[in-house]
mmCIF file of all heavy atoms in Angstrom:
data_model
loop_
_atom_site.group_PDB
_atom_site.id
_atom_site.type_symbol
_atom_site.label_atom_id
_atom_site.label_comp_id
_atom_site.label_asym_id
_atom_site.label_seq_id
_atom_site.Cartn_x
_atom_site.Cartn_y
_atom_site.Cartn_z
ATOM 1 N N ASN A 271 15.147 -2.065 -45.434
ATOM 2 C CA ASN A 271 15.543 -0.732 -45.027
ATOM 3 C C ASN A 271 14.356 0.311 -44.975
ATOM 4 O O ASN A 271 14.567 1.428 -44.473
ATOM 5 C CB ASN A 271 16.625 -0.126 -46.013
ATOM 6 C CG ASN A 271 17.836 -0.891 -45.882
ATOM 7 O OD1 ASN A 271 18.258 -1.459 -44.971
ATOM 8 N ND2 ASN A 271 18.563 -0.936 -47.074
ATOM 9 N N THR A 275 9.368 7.896 -42.518
ATOM 10 C CA THR A 275 10.245 9.038 -42.659
ATOM 11 C C THR A 275 9.685 10.306 -41.879
ATOM 12 O O THR A 275 10.360 11.114 -41.494
ATOM 13 C CB THR A 275 10.634 9.436 -44.018
ATOM 14 O OG1 THR A 275 9.395 9.451 -44.743
ATOM 15 C CG2 THR A 275 11.497 8.262 -44.645
ATOM 16 N N PRO A 277 8.046 12.540 -39.173
ATOM 17 C CA PRO A 277 7.988 12.617 -37.567
ATOM 18 C C PRO A 277 6.553 12.347 -36.960
ATOM 19 O O PRO A 277 6.464 12.152 -35.851
ATOM 20 C CB PRO A 277 8.563 13.916 -37.236
ATOM 21 C CG PRO A 277 8.396 14.718 -38.530
ATOM 22 C CD PRO A 277 8.392 13.888 -39.606
ATOM 23 N N HIS A 307 10.005 1.742 -0.272
ATOM 24 C CA HIS A 307 8.619 1.120 -0.123
ATOM 25 C C HIS A 307 8.572 -0.117 -0.972
ATOM 26 O O HIS A 307 9.066 -0.172 -2.052
ATOM 27 C CB HIS A 307 7.460 1.994 -0.498
ATOM 28 C CG HIS A 307 7.367 3.234 0.428
ATOM 29 N ND1 HIS A 307 6.945 3.086 1.678
ATOM 30 C CD2 HIS A 307 7.700 4.590 0.177
ATOM 31 C CE1 HIS A 307 6.954 4.320 2.326
ATOM 32 N NE2 HIS A 307 7.461 5.300 1.410
ATOM 33 N N PRO A 308 7.903 -1.205 -0.463
ATOM 34 C CA PRO A 308 7.866 -2.483 -1.224
ATOM 35 C C PRO A 308 6.972 -2.473 -2.380
ATOM 36 O O PRO A 308 5.943 -3.250 -2.408
ATOM 37 C CB PRO A 308 7.609 -3.503 -0.188
ATOM 38 C CG PRO A 308 6.822 -2.703 0.782
ATOM 39 C CD PRO A 308 7.262 -1.332 0.829
ATOM 40 N N ILE A 309 7.150 -1.623 -3.280
ATOM 41 C CA ILE A 309 6.171 -1.492 -4.451
ATOM 42 C C ILE A 309 6.342 -2.492 -5.423
ATOM 43 O O ILE A 309 7.389 -3.104 -5.761
ATOM 44 C CB ILE A 309 6.509 -0.107 -5.146
ATOM 45 C CG1 ILE A 309 6.440 1.054 -4.128
ATOM 46 C CG2 ILE A 309 5.486 0.157 -6.272
ATOM 47 C CD1 ILE A 309 5.170 1.296 -3.440
ATOM 48 N N PRO A 357 0.994 -3.631 -3.944
ATOM 49 C CA PRO A 357 0.791 -3.755 -5.449
ATOM 50 C C PRO A 357 0.043 -2.620 -6.025
ATOM 51 O O PRO A 357 -0.949 -2.193 -5.388
ATOM 52 C CB PRO A 357 -0.029 -5.096 -5.492
ATOM 53 C CG PRO A 357 -0.496 -5.410 -4.105
ATOM 54 C CD PRO A 357 0.177 -4.458 -3.193
ATOM 55 N N PRO A 384 -4.123 -3.475 1.030
ATOM 56 C CA PRO A 384 -3.677 -2.253 0.379
ATOM 57 C C PRO A 384 -3.230 -2.440 -0.939
ATOM 58 O O PRO A 384 -2.149 -2.230 -1.303
ATOM 59 C CB PRO A 384 -2.493 -1.828 1.330
ATOM 60 C CG PRO A 384 -1.946 -3.121 1.881
ATOM 61 C CD PRO A 384 -3.175 -4.002 2.038
ATOM 62 N N ILE A 394 -14.941 8.479 -21.693
ATOM 63 C CA ILE A 394 -15.055 8.227 -23.039
ATOM 64 C C ILE A 394 -13.704 8.516 -23.733
ATOM 65 O O ILE A 394 -13.663 8.846 -25.059
ATOM 66 C CB ILE A 394 -16.107 9.108 -23.661
ATOM 67 C CG1 ILE A 394 -16.133 10.553 -23.144
ATOM 68 C CG2 ILE A 394 -17.562 8.501 -23.252
ATOM 69 C CD1 ILE A 394 -17.240 11.458 -23.798
ATOM 70 N N GLY A 397 -12.619 7.156 -27.146
ATOM 71 C CA GLY A 397 -13.193 7.588 -28.363
ATOM 72 C C GLY A 397 -13.784 6.550 -29.322
ATOM 73 O O GLY A 397 -14.719 5.824 -28.822
ATOM 74 N N HIS A 404 -15.111 2.215 -23.239
ATOM 75 C CA HIS A 404 -15.511 3.246 -22.501
ATOM 76 C C HIS A 404 -15.711 2.961 -21.094
ATOM 77 O O HIS A 404 -16.246 1.795 -20.869
ATOM 78 C CB HIS A 404 -16.764 4.002 -23.114
ATOM 79 C CG HIS A 404 -16.500 4.509 -24.500
ATOM 80 N ND1 HIS A 404 -17.636 4.906 -25.313
ATOM 81 C CD2 HIS A 404 -15.460 4.948 -25.146
ATOM 82 C CE1 HIS A 404 -17.169 5.418 -26.430
ATOM 83 N NE2 HIS A 404 -15.832 5.459 -26.323
ATOM 84 N N ILE A 409 -17.354 4.494 -11.586
ATOM 85 C CA ILE A 409 -17.629 5.188 -10.286
ATOM 86 C C ILE A 409 -18.795 4.414 -9.675
ATOM 87 O O ILE A 409 -18.784 4.146 -8.448
ATOM 88 C CB ILE A 409 -17.900 6.687 -10.399
ATOM 89 C CG1 ILE A 409 -16.643 7.329 -10.971
ATOM 90 C CG2 ILE A 409 -18.219 7.209 -9.093
ATOM 91 C CD1 ILE A 409 -16.796 8.819 -11.210
ATOM 92 N N ILE A 415 -18.888 -0.481 -3.378
ATOM 93 C CA ILE A 415 -18.156 -1.473 -2.701
ATOM 94 C C ILE A 415 -17.615 -0.823 -1.433
ATOM 95 O O ILE A 415 -16.832 0.137 -1.454
ATOM 96 C CB ILE A 415 -17.066 -2.016 -3.628
ATOM 97 C CG1 ILE A 415 -17.557 -2.805 -4.860
ATOM 98 C CG2 ILE A 415 -16.077 -2.932 -2.811
ATOM 99 C CD1 ILE A 415 -16.491 -3.060 -5.853
ATOM 100 N N ILE A 443 -7.500 1.332 -2.825
ATOM 101 C CA ILE A 443 -7.842 2.482 -3.630
ATOM 102 C C ILE A 443 -8.160 2.156 -5.118
ATOM 103 O O ILE A 443 -7.359 1.345 -5.617
ATOM 104 C CB ILE A 443 -6.704 3.578 -3.606
ATOM 105 C CG1 ILE A 443 -6.249 3.861 -2.153
ATOM 106 C CG2 ILE A 443 -7.102 4.910 -4.297
ATOM 107 C CD1 ILE A 443 -4.972 4.670 -1.988
ATOM 108 N N GLY A 448 -7.225 9.416 -16.555
ATOM 109 C CA GLY A 448 -7.430 9.638 -18.002
ATOM 110 C C GLY A 448 -6.347 8.942 -18.937
ATOM 111 O O GLY A 448 -5.882 7.898 -18.490
ATOM 112 N N TYR A 456 -2.378 21.006 -11.938
ATOM 113 C CA TYR A 456 -1.630 20.792 -10.647
ATOM 114 C C TYR A 456 -0.263 20.695 -10.783
ATOM 115 O O TYR A 456 0.348 20.336 -11.938
ATOM 116 C CB TYR A 456 -2.265 19.615 -9.930
ATOM 117 C CG TYR A 456 -3.623 19.803 -9.489
ATOM 118 C CD1 TYR A 456 -4.729 19.224 -10.258
ATOM 119 C CD2 TYR A 456 -4.056 20.507 -8.315
ATOM 120 C CE1 TYR A 456 -6.059 19.292 -9.980
ATOM 121 C CE2 TYR A 456 -5.395 20.643 -8.099
ATOM 122 C CZ TYR A 456 -6.311 20.160 -8.785
ATOM 123 O OH TYR A 456 -7.753 20.352 -8.393
ATOM 124 N N GLU A 475 -23.771 32.019 -7.881
ATOM 125 C CA GLU A 475 -24.844 31.768 -8.774
ATOM 126 C C GLU A 475 -24.747 30.275 -9.045
ATOM 127 O O GLU A 475 -25.882 29.617 -9.075
ATOM 128 C CB GLU A 475 -24.603 32.445 -10.155
ATOM 129 C CG GLU A 475 -24.681 33.942 -10.097
ATOM 130 C CD GLU A 475 -24.461 34.598 -11.415
ATOM 131 O OE1 GLU A 475 -25.451 34.720 -12.260
ATOM 132 O OE2 GLU A 475 -23.353 34.958 -11.693
ATOM 133 N N SER A 488 -13.618 23.318 -16.494
ATOM 134 C CA SER A 488 -14.500 23.922 -15.472
ATOM 135 C C SER A 488 -13.935 25.198 -14.834
ATOM 136 O O SER A 488 -14.517 26.295 -14.760
ATOM 137 C CB SER A 488 -15.068 23.070 -14.414
ATOM 138 O OG SER A 488 -15.870 21.970 -15.034
ATOM 139 N N ALA A 497 -14.813 37.168 -15.390
ATOM 140 C CA ALA A 497 -14.271 38.335 -16.056
ATOM 141 C C ALA A 497 -15.535 39.072 -16.535
ATOM 142 O O ALA A 497 -15.560 40.246 -16.810
ATOM 143 C CB ALA A 497 -13.384 37.972 -17.238
ATOM 144 N N VAL A 510 -13.746 10.844 -4.726
ATOM 145 C CA VAL A 510 -15.154 10.564 -4.893
ATOM 146 C C VAL A 510 -15.671 9.867 -3.818
ATOM 147 O O VAL A 510 -16.810 10.114 -3.461
ATOM 148 C CB VAL A 510 -15.383 9.865 -6.380
ATOM 149 C CG1 VAL A 510 -16.847 9.692 -6.486
ATOM 150 C CG2 VAL A 510 -14.862 10.722 -7.472
ATOM 151 N N ILE A 518 -19.234 20.142 -0.092
ATOM 152 C CA ILE A 518 -20.571 20.130 -0.734
ATOM 153 C C ILE A 518 -21.520 21.001 -0.048
ATOM 154 O O ILE A 518 -22.229 21.872 -0.707
ATOM 155 C CB ILE A 518 -21.138 18.819 -0.920
ATOM 156 C CG1 ILE A 518 -20.230 17.853 -1.905
ATOM 157 C CG2 ILE A 518 -22.627 18.762 -1.575
ATOM 158 C CD1 ILE A 518 -20.594 16.402 -1.807
ATOM 159 N N GLU A 533 -17.275 12.740 -16.461
ATOM 160 C CA GLU A 533 -17.193 11.970 -17.481
ATOM 161 C C GLU A 533 -17.605 10.482 -17.299
ATOM 162 O O GLU A 533 -16.801 9.580 -17.201
ATOM 163 C CB GLU A 533 -15.725 11.862 -18.015
ATOM 164 C CG GLU A 533 -15.417 11.461 -19.420
ATOM 165 C CD GLU A 533 -13.918 11.314 -19.694
ATOM 166 O OE1 GLU A 533 -13.098 11.753 -18.904
ATOM 167 O OE2 GLU A 533 -13.658 10.749 -20.783
ATOM 168 N N GLY A 541 -22.484 12.820 -9.653
ATOM 169 C CA GLY A 541 -23.658 13.531 -9.571
ATOM 170 C C GLY A 541 -24.620 12.882 -8.579
ATOM 171 O O GLY A 541 -25.285 13.476 -7.690
ATOM 172 N N LEU A 548 -26.773 16.111 -0.774
ATOM 173 C CA LEU A 548 -27.736 17.269 -0.714
ATOM 174 C C LEU A 548 -29.114 16.897 -0.123
ATOM 175 O O LEU A 548 -29.706 17.564 0.516
ATOM 176 C CB LEU A 548 -27.700 17.917 -2.068
ATOM 177 C CG LEU A 548 -26.594 18.658 -2.563
ATOM 178 C CD1 LEU A 548 -26.840 19.098 -4.012
ATOM 179 C CD2 LEU A 548 -26.260 19.852 -1.700
ATOM 180 N N ARG A 556 -30.324 23.964 -5.842
ATOM 181 C CA ARG A 556 -30.900 23.145 -6.819
ATOM 182 C C ARG A 556 -29.656 22.370 -7.377
ATOM 183 O O ARG A 556 -28.642 22.929 -7.447
ATOM 184 C CB ARG A 556 -31.544 23.863 -7.914
ATOM 185 C CG ARG A 556 -32.182 23.057 -8.968
ATOM 186 C CD ARG A 556 -33.106 23.922 -9.809
ATOM 187 N NE ARG A 556 -32.432 24.916 -10.670
ATOM 188 C CZ ARG A 556 -32.196 24.541 -11.946
ATOM 189 N NH1 ARG A 556 -32.418 23.364 -12.423
ATOM 190 N NH2 ARG A 556 -31.560 25.440 -12.693
ATOM 191 N N SER A 588 -21.611 26.409 -21.969
ATOM 192 C CA SER A 588 -22.960 26.469 -22.419
ATOM 193 C C SER A 588 -23.932 25.926 -21.366
ATOM 194 O O SER A 588 -25.026 26.472 -21.185
ATOM 195 C CB SER A 588 -23.137 25.861 -23.743
ATOM 196 O OG SER A 588 -23.069 24.324 -23.570
#
Side-chain angles (χ1 to χ4, degrees):
Chain A
N271 291 332
T275 52
H307 295 288
I309 305 298
I394 49 178
H404 293 165
I409 294 178
I415 295 175
I443 308 168
Y456 293 99
E475 294 179 90
S488 296
V510 178
I518 296 170
E533 196 186 350
L548 291 177
R556 183 165 72 91
S588 71

